[in-house]
Amino acid sequence: KSHGEFGTTKGPGTDIHALRAADASVNSIRNAKDFDEGGEVLSGESAGDCPSCRADSDSFEPPDVVKGDIARMLFYMAVRYEGGSTEVDLELVDATGTPFGSGTSTTLGL
């Protein structure tokens, strides 16, 4: 949702398949960063409840145990929201720092 400003009308912004429970401190660290591999291992207070997470200025790497869940959520959203007459077209990209919306498509960083 951080990459689309989908709001709360029916569609991708309210699709329960894109929701995942997260610790508030981890969610705050991830913020609107793209998922990526690498970055510095979080430590001390910045690690919150995710000492195996990594982050840098524009990306966040979750722990291995949840990467499959996140990948399934992203792929589901890209396949489900293909851009009908009034629906946004969600696309997966393999890059960080990509614009969130470009015309009729919205990118989901991977």
Side-chain angles (χ1 to χ4, degrees):
K1 190 168 180 177
S2 60
H3 279 214
E5 301 300 325
F6 303 122
T8 56
T9 58
K10 186 177 178 183
T14 60
D15 194 322
I16 197 161
H17 293 93
L19 298 178
R20 178 166 171 63
D23 177 79
S25 64
V26 176
N27 195 47
S28 179
I29 293 165
R30 178 177 181 263
N31 199 0
K33 294 177 180 177
D34 292 321
F35 289 113
D36 195 10
E37 294 180 325
E40 298 295 320
V41 174
L42 301 178
S43 61
E45 273 189 43
S46 68
D49 285 332
C50 193
S52 59
C53 293
R54 296 174 171 265
D56 58 26
S57 63
D58 66 352
S59 66
F60 177 84
E61 181 179 355
D64 290 342
V65 299
V66 299
K67 287 180 182 176
D69 296 338
I70 293 168
R72 276 187 289 283
M73 289 171 20
L74 290 170
F75 280 104
Y76 164 80
M77 294 296 284
V79 170
R80 166 59 185 89
Y81 297 100
E82 283 292 310
S85 59
T86 60
E87 205 171 69
V88 67
D89 180 14
L90 300 180
E91 297 293 333
L92 288 172
V93 294
D94 187 16
T96 59
T98 55
F100 298 154
S102 54
T104 59
S105 293
T106 298
T107 59
L108 299 167
L110 182 60

